[in-house]
Amino acid sequence: MAKRTDKRAKTRKRAASRKAASASRIVKSARRPARVSAGPEPRRAEQASLRGSAANFQALAENANDGILVNHRGRHVFANRRIAEMLGYEVEALIGTTIKDLVHPDEQDAVAQRFRQRLNGAAVPPQYETLFRAKDGAAVPVEITAAVTLWQGKPAGLMVVRDISQRKQVENELRASEERLRLVAENIADGLVTMGENCLIESFNPAAERIFGYRKDVMLGKNVNLLMPEPYCNQHNDYIRNYLASGRSTIFGSARELPGRRKDGT
């Protein structure tokens, strides 16, 4: 009878020990940080976000007034409709081309060097003018704004290309007009002196040199009242200031006879 009692006591003791060990394992497990599997949902959300960004870029690029090119590993992987129209290509024909395929031969080395320097992190001006070459070989003046972007997670070159043909045409016409005026001024028999709002001489033609006895290089930047005797010499700057302030003048737009003063004082 005593042996049975001892056996039951040992059995109860072992059961209690097992319960204590199990409770200890539960407590330790509760203290450990839970491991949560990312699962497919976050990846799907990330992929959807990337697709949305790509769609936004596509919509922006296709409706831009400027040409857009993305160059990855030396070849263009994206071209919008505007750059194709500008150069006379189909969009598909531009994919896979290189910078040298599109840049005018006279500008290829300079543009390629800027592109390499920018990808290597060098400080290169982001905006510059150059010449592209259209499909028919014609030179197309353009203004490029360049930056570094990512394409499939790798560095790539982004170029925004603006056609400045009309601006260059206007600039050329303006230079030609200025040259014609210069030739007229250089060859007329009358003295011609021009000045700015500050009364400083900006041009002095050969006839003016003969009349006043001064050389052009000496007179440029000098006050025009140097060519006037008293009292006009001291009054002239006041006339100009009053005109600029009020917009009214009894001098400009009319012909007047006034005495001048030569270099020798006569």
Side-chain angles (χ1 to χ4, degrees):
M1 187 70 179
K3 289 181 179 180
R4 288 179 182 176
T5 302
D6 292 341
K7 189 174 181 179
R8 289 195 191 103
K10 290 178 181 180
T11 300
R12 285 195 296 269
K13 187 176 181 180
R14 284 196 296 269
S17 178
R18 284 195 297 269
K19 287 181 181 179
S22 177
S24 177
R25 284 195 297 270
I26 292 172
V27 171
K28 289 180 180 178
S29 177
R31 290 174 180 172
R32 292 178 191 150
R35 295 182 180 180
V36 180
S37 175
E41 290 304 322
R43 286 195 294 272
R44 289 197 191 102
E46 182 179 353
Q47 290 169 358
S49 176
L50 290 174
R51 285 194 297 270
S53 297
N56 290 338
F57 171 78
Q58 185 81 18
L60 176 65
E62 290 304 331
N63 290 282
N65 290 324
D66 295 328
I68 297 177
L69 291 166
V70 177
N71 190 295
H72 180 54
R73 294 181 177 177
R75 295 193 176 274
H76 296 115
V77 293
F78 176 84
N80 72 341
R81 183 174 59 252
R82 181 67 186 101
I83 188 66
E85 294 172 350
M86 194 185 303
L87 301 179
Y89 287 93
E90 296 295 329
V91 171
E92 294 76 12
L94 293 174
I95 305 303
T97 59
T98 67
I99 292 177
K100 288 190 174 183
D101 292 331
L102 304 182
V103 176
H104 193 274
D106 295 343
E107 297 286 317
Q108 287 178 357
D109 291 341
V111 173
Q113 183 179 12
R114 288 191 191 100
F115 179 76
R116 289 192 297 269
Q117 290 175 335
R118 186 171 291 103
L119 285 182
N120 291 331
V124 183
Q127 194 171 79
Y128 58 93
E129 294 181 4
T130 188
L131 289 175
F132 268 27
R133 180 175 56 184
K135 185 179 180 180
D136 62 5
V140 182
V142 298
E143 180 183 80
I144 290 179
T145 303
V148 176
T149 186
L150 292 178
W151 185 267
Q152 296 179 351
K154 301 293 183 181
L158 173 66
M159 300 174 70
V160 178
V161 185
R162 175 166 296 178
D163 187 345
I164 57 173
S165 299
Q166 291 185 351
R167 187 173 84 192
K168 286 298 181 183
Q169 182 179 352
V170 171
E171 290 176 357
N172 291 337
E173 291 173 354
L174 180 60
R175 279 194 294 268
S177 176
E178 290 174 345
E179 178 62 15
R180 287 192 295 271
L181 289 175
R182 186 190 68 80
L183 290 174
V184 170
E186 293 292 319
N187 291 282
I188 60 175
D190 296 327
L192 181 61
V193 180
T194 63
M195 66 178 184
E197 293 181 357
N198 52 9
C199 300
L200 301 184
I201 294 173
E202 296 180 349
S203 70
F204 201 78
N205 76 340
E209 290 181 315
R210 292 190 297 271
I211 292 170
F212 292 102
Y214 289 101
R215 296 197 319 272
K216 173 182 176 180
D217 60 329
V218 172
M219 293 305 294
L220 293 181
K222 296 290 194 305
N223 196 304
V224 73
N225 64 10
L226 186 64
L227 305 176
M228 304 173 187
E230 296 289 353
Y232 308 104
C233 176
N234 292 325
Q235 296 172 348
H236 182 263
N237 287 355
D238 291 334
Y239 291 149
I240 299 299
R241 279 193 291 269
N242 291 336
Y243 168 70
L244 293 176
S246 66
R248 296 188 298 273
S249 172
T250 59
I251 300 175
F252 295 110
S254 62
R256 302 182 65 190
E257 289 188 7
L258 296 170
R261 181 172 60 185
R262 297 188 182 94
K263 181 179 180 181
D264 61 9
T266 60

